[in-house]
Amino acid sequence: MTPPEIHAFFARLSAANPAPVTELAYGNGYQLLVAVVLSAQATDVGVNKATRRLFELVHTPAQMLELGEEGLKAHIRTIGLFNSKAKNVIALSHRLVAEFGGEVPDSRDVLETLPGVGRKTANVVVNVLFGQETCAVDTHVFRLANRTGLAPGKTPLAVENGIMKRVKAPWRRDAHHWLILHGRYVCTARSPKCGECAVADLCQFRGKALAAG
């Protein structure tokens, strides 16, 4: 995509959804961090279902430590990889209490040192909580960046760097939210709804005509 096409791409997505937000349910920064860690290789719907009762009981890392690993597992058994995720959530909660006064750090680099927190998770947290201009590349963002020609790349980091370089203000901060939602509901992996797509004419997807038909 050319710079004018990229501007038009996000202008249209913004017009349809001016204030995109994560679909993960949370009440504070700590709960968001936990929810994003749990969402790896799981759907937001599944995570929200599992955390609905959990987040009624647990609002802080100290409360999570009181609940304990086995108590946490009882709430998240429906989520894939729940054993390792429970271990990581307890371990990161220990770190938050011991080193950060129970608060979520506002540094991506620091967040990435926490158990179970990779670059994607850290990007989500600093973007949503602290308004930082980051791009969390999940499967939807990776697919759309390559399929549309927005920011092609062979790795998530390459796509992230491409988006951060090519997408300008005022779109950069919310770019990954628009891409995630568009990929989740319109530009789906197997059956993209090109005939319903507001940005189809800007997209370089070779199968566009067939999908639109």
Side-chain angles (χ1 to χ4, degrees):
M1 281 189 193
T2 64
E5 287 172 337
I6 292 173
H7 178 81
F9 181 91
F10 285 105
R12 293 182 198 176
L13 295 182
S14 174
N17 185 1
V21 296
T22 176
E23 293 188 319
L24 288 170
Y26 66 97
N28 60 28
Y30 173 68
Q31 290 183 343
L32 174 66
L33 175 58
V34 171
V36 181
V37 169
L38 295 178
S39 71
Q41 300 182 50
T43 66
D44 288 1
V45 171
V47 172
N48 290 342
K49 183 177 180 180
T51 58
R52 187 173 297 116
R53 175 59 177 160
L54 173 67
F55 287 167
E56 291 176 358
L57 302 173
V58 175
H59 300 88
T60 67
Q63 291 174 334
M64 186 68 78
L65 296 178
E66 291 178 5
L67 179 65
E69 187 173 332
E70 293 305 315
L72 175 57
K73 286 181 182 178
H75 286 277
I76 65 171
R77 289 186 184 279
T78 56
I79 300 176
L81 307 175
F82 73 91
N83 283 311
S84 61
K85 289 178 180 178
K87 183 177 181 179
N88 284 333
V89 167
I90 295 298
L92 72 82
S93 298
H94 273 293
R95 286 277 309 280
L96 292 179
V97 170
E99 300 177 29
F100 303 101
E103 299 296 322
V104 177
D106 62 359
S107 164
R108 179 175 64 190
D109 291 341
V110 173
L111 284 166
E112 284 190 80
T113 71
L114 298 176
V117 179
R119 187 177 182 89
K120 182 183 74 173
T121 295
N123 274 333
V124 171
V125 172
V126 298
N127 177 276
V128 174
L129 287 186
F130 305 110
Q132 296 182 23
E133 292 186 346
T134 60
C135 180
V137 180
D138 69 352
T139 56
H140 298 300
V141 175
F142 187 81
R143 180 176 70 254
L144 263 68
N146 281 284
R147 177 183 278 173
T148 64
L150 170 64
K154 293 183 178 180
T155 67
L157 182 58
V159 166
E160 177 186 336
N161 290 338
I163 289 173
M164 295 303 294
K165 180 179 179 180
R166 306 194 73 205
V167 178
K168 310 299 182 182
W171 317 120
R172 189 185 291 128
R173 176 181 170 180
D174 291 326
H176 78 272
H177 289 299
W178 281 309
L179 292 171
I180 288 169
L181 294 171
H182 194 64
R184 187 171 288 165
Y185 297 111
V186 180
C187 193
T188 52
R190 294 186 178 181
S191 301
K193 303 172 184 176
C194 298
E196 304 173 17
C197 179
V199 293
D201 60 309
L202 303 171
C203 174
Q204 297 176 9
F205 178 41
R206 291 182 178 179
K208 181 169 54 179
L210 182 61

